[in-house]
Amino acid sequence: MSEGTSVVMESSENGTDYSQDDIGTIEGTPDNTILSRQTSVNLVPFIGQRFVSQEAAYEFYCSFAKQCGFSIRRHRTRGKDGVGRGVTRRDFACHRGGYPQMKPSEDGKMQRNRKSSRCGCQAYMRIVKRADFEVPEWRVTGFSNIHNHELLKPQEVRLLPAYCTISPDDKIRICMFAKAGMSVRQMLRLLELEKGVKLGCLPFTEIDVRNLLQSFRNVDRDSDSIDLIAMCKKLKDENPNFKYDFKIDGHNRLEHIAWSYASSVQLYEAFGDAVVFDTTHRLDAYDMLLGIWLGVDNHGMTCFFGCVLLQDENLQSFSWALKTFLGFMKEKAPQTILTDHNMWLKEAIAIEMPATKHAFCIWHIIAKFSDWFSVLLGSHYDDWKAEFHRLYNLESQEDFELGWREMVNKYGLHANKHIVSLYALRTFWALSFLRRYFFAGMMSACQSELINAFIQRFLSAQSQLDHFVEQVAYIVDFNDRIGAKQKMQRKLQKVSLKTGSPIESHAATLLTPYAFCKLQEELVLAPQYASLQVDEGSFQVRHHTQMDGGCKVIWAPCQEHISCSCYQFEFSGILCRHVLRVLSTNNCFHIPDQYLPTRWRSVYSSSTNPFRTATSREHSEKIQLLESMASTLLTESIETEERLDVACEQIAMMLSRIKELSRSTHGMNDITYNCPSDSLILPEVEDADGIVQSFTIGNPHDSLTLGKLKERRPRDGIDITRKRRHCSGPCCGHFGHDGSACSIMGDDDLHGDALGYL
């Protein structure tokens, strides 16, 4: 054990101090501890250290703990995934932290006194999410490495349950060995030879392999496949707009199956221009590849398009999946598709979607760098990785080509097969080759983290195949309801105008809060750039600190055409700071309509929606009226404490009365309808000087959006029971009440702890 404590406190970069609850202590350890003997200085966490995601921080601290001689577990959090701002703080604790608690059994008797490894150890690391206009990041705000127990030796620490994990690749190998009839000991020996490790030094043991194989044997694949097809047929009978297709192999066994829900088809019609097709995960028990089609809606939220299970990972399987997906979506191919680094999938997309621009997700590529280059480059690995990131973000293809050659020469990587492959495929991952195509912001770190979190919910729902379809429906339905409520909350918030520009106030009335925020970031930065006219309709725009270079902007006022050499509008659908600077300096007071894409607008036309009926339109109009009244109620109630008290009392009474009314099992609940216009409720827009401006956009009964505002109902006929759990603290941030009485959260039981997959 170590003694001595030093406290380190640090402020955030934006000038606001972290709360005392967010600031921890960083503990020093004497030279004779296991820390100094086994870890390098670069591996020790420190206050202010940054990570791109929670998982990155967890993996870093896990590596540190393994070298020290202990393991970690996820501890306290602040916030919940999918609710409000989500998780904003996460604590990782030593596996021996806390104390065991005796819990009474169902018959009232105390459980037997089992031994526990927990001894109240205080070692921990705390990370806090910083939310601003920059790329979201997690920072270390607390760290302690003082333990009240002995730390394990290297040969002992690897046997802790946290480190006895079997990677997905190893699971595939073990499954293949089992099919070949190999014994468990033969499997372990072969894996040791393949990995080049000493006898008995694999990260898992013989017992772990036997447990894995037993879990495979407990699955009745043939019976579960029949149940899965029967479940899909049942869903199709209940809702004709549910889509599914499957393929049987020569042995009359299920080979592939794909499905999509009715609401997913609708979402694809509106937001299927940019798609993510994730195929990096498997259903291990069934040895099937899991593919998920996802996208981003006009509020920047992840939307589900479809799902597929494939028996094999080859060209024929991927071609079948893509062809089936296009069949679900009326043969409408996306403009762009983002996938992992898979050559079979690359070839299949070229065949089935020849007009679609295909790109590789850079985060999947970067995840392999440690295995590819860390040993090869040694101490130069971090410098090389930073240089790679710089090249990845370059705007000019010429600059990329020049910088790549210099990087290869500097680090002597001419003959490295991974470098050769990356360069050959540069048009699939380097931004300088992709900026001319629309990806809806899905290549950003923030969106990648949201998409990955959404996918993790699917992985945690693995069970029998027919139950898996139900769980997927439940997850998608939960995501839709959370999204609808978050959109409503955003619409009730004031839109703050920061520049006072007419361009800004005009955009605020048309774009969703998500898209407007992105445009506002560019508007705020635009004044830092100088606009120099070099020819008729041609401008050179560069930062005021630069003496040359910059971006070239072409503007033809008569045709209302404008473009920039940075291609940000083509890439994200949001005008760049260079274009906005040219518009403002040339007395243009609004953005031409074609540069405020319908895809990012609050009012998204749904005239081509085949599912709309007269009844659904009337229902939508009533919802619009209700939402407008709710907005007015909130605006008027917050004027005084007396008004607020009366409003809370009356709303509580009204909600109680509404909940007493019976729920309809048909009629309105069977209608897929549109939520009220996001632009309908824009009660107050506050500019930088504190002046409140009011915006009213047309007749509230004349505009509809394609987003869905649902009541609590099963998706496509699936009846899923939910558990009610009361929240002890504030839930929506407006009033002091618990989750059971919350008008926004309580009625749908949207508490993360009540859902088994979170």
Side-chain angles (χ1 to χ4, degrees), residues 369 372-373 376 384 388 404 407-408 413-425 429:
F369 282 177
W372 289 355
F373 302 111
L376 176 66
W384 173 86
F388 179 89
W404 187 269
M407 181 266 290
V408 171
L413 299 173
H414 302 83
N416 184 274
K417 63 179 182 180
H418 301 300
I419 289 293
V420 173
S421 176
L422 284 173
Y423 182 74
L425 297 170
W429 59 265

Side-chain angles (χ1 to χ4, degrees), residues 600-656:
W600 293 126
R601 294 197 184 193
S602 297
V603 183
Y604 197 97
S605 173
S606 57
S607 58
T608 60
N609 187 346
F611 305 110
R612 282 188 56 192
T613 64
T615 305
S616 67
R617 285 195 296 270
E618 293 174 2
H619 200 60
S620 298
E621 291 172 359
K622 291 180 182 179
I623 296 174
Q624 286 182 314
L625 180 60
L626 176 62
E627 196 173 16
S628 179
M629 290 189 295
S631 173
T632 305
L633 173 66
L634 181 62
T635 304
E636 294 294 332
S637 299
I638 62 177
E639 293 293 330
T640 65
E641 284 294 328
E642 183 180 1
R643 287 188 176 192
L644 189 59
D645 292 339
V646 172
C648 291
E649 179 182 353
Q650 294 298 320
I651 289 174
M653 294 171 58
M654 182 176 60
L655 282 175
S656 299

Side-chain angles (χ1 to χ4, degrees), residues 641-752:
E641 284 294 328
E642 183 180 1
R643 287 188 176 192
L644 189 59
D645 292 339
V646 172
C648 291
E649 179 182 353
Q650 294 298 320
I651 289 174
M653 294 171 58
M654 182 176 60
L655 282 175
S656 299
R657 183 181 176 187
I658 291 174
K659 290 180 180 180
E660 292 174 356
L661 300 177
S662 60
R663 294 180 182 270
S664 174
T665 57
H666 60 279
M668 287 304 175
N669 283 352
D670 295 335
I671 297 171
T672 303
Y673 52 83
N674 302 320
C675 79
S677 164
D678 292 330
S679 59
L680 171 67
I681 302 179
L682 227 168
E684 294 182 356
V685 178
E686 185 176 338
D687 63 18
D689 297 325
I691 301 174
V692 176
Q693 305 175 15
S694 297
F695 288 89
T696 304
I697 306 170
N699 190 326
H701 301 299
D702 292 340
S703 58
L704 296 172
T705 72
L706 196 62
K708 297 183 295 303
L709 182 64
K710 299 184 178 180
E711 294 186 10
R712 178 179 172 187
R713 62 180 178 86
R715 169 178 293 276
D716 297 338
I718 299 176
D719 185 16
I720 301 170
T721 59
R722 298 176 174 86
K723 182 188 296 183
R724 177 173 293 277
R725 178 179 182 274
H726 294 287
C727 178
S728 60
C731 42
C732 65
H734 291 298
F735 311 111
H737 55 256
D738 64 9
S740 62
C742 179
S743 60
I744 294 178
M745 301 302 301
D747 200 29
D748 279 353
D749 300 330
L750 302 181
H751 304 293

Side-chain angles (χ1 to χ4, degrees), residues 97-225:
Y99 296 95
Q101 296 181 355
M102 296 293 292
K103 297 181 180 179
S105 59
E106 293 181 359
D107 57 2
K109 296 180 180 180
M110 299 300 292
Q111 293 180 347
R112 62 189 178 91
N113 187 19
R114 296 178 176 175
K115 290 184 178 181
S116 174
S117 63
R118 298 196 178 187
C119 59
C121 181
Q122 297 295 316
Y124 78 102
M125 185 178 81
R126 173 175 296 158
I127 57 174
V128 173
K129 186 177 183 180
R130 180 187 176 191
D132 56 11
F133 288 140
E134 305 293 334
V135 176
E137 62 183 11
W138 294 80
R139 294 189 181 182
V140 177
T141 60
F143 171 60
S144 170
N145 198 48
I146 287 186
H147 300 263
N148 62 355
H149 56 89
E150 294 297 329
L151 300 177
L152 302 178
K153 299 177 181 179
Q155 60 269 27
E156 298 172 337
V157 72
R158 68 180 185 86
L159 298 177
L160 290 172
Y163 303 125
C164 289
T165 57
I166 306 177
S167 68
D169 290 338
D170 288 337
K171 288 180 181 179
I172 295 173
R173 299 286 291 167
I174 291 171
C175 185
M176 183 181 66
F177 295 157
K179 291 178 181 179
M182 296 176 61
S183 68
V184 173
R185 293 186 178 181
Q186 288 174 327
M187 295 179 193
L188 291 172
R189 185 55 184 152
L190 184 54
L191 287 171
E192 288 168 350
L193 293 173
E194 288 180 347
K195 296 176 177 294
V197 299
K198 296 180 180 179
L199 186 66
C201 290
L202 287 172
F204 46 87
T205 65
E206 180 178 339
I207 295 178
D208 298 320
V209 176
R210 293 188 184 278
N211 289 338
L212 176 66
L213 294 175
Q214 185 61 41
S215 68
F216 290 163
R217 295 189 187 102
N218 290 337
V219 172
D220 187 348
R221 299 187 183 183
D222 294 338
S223 176
D224 287 353
S225 298

Side-chain angles (χ1 to χ4, degrees), residues 251-311:
H251 301 286
N252 202 31
R253 293 180 177 177
L254 180 65
E255 186 174 4
H256 314 310
I257 186 167
W259 67 92
S260 180
Y261 306 101
S263 59
S264 299
V265 176
Q266 286 183 270
L267 284 171
Y268 185 84
E269 290 181 6
F271 309 112
D273 43 11
V275 172
V276 171
F277 185 31
D278 185 276
T279 59
T280 58
H281 305 284
R282 303 182 70 89
L283 292 185
D284 296 320
Y286 297 89
D287 192 27
M288 298 186 79
L289 182 75
L290 172 64
I292 306 173
W293 286 281
L294 301 169
V296 173
D297 67 10
N298 56 340
H299 288 268
M301 296 180 179
T302 304
C303 47
F304 175 86
F305 294 144
C307 201
V308 65
L309 292 172
L310 302 174
Q311 192 68 57

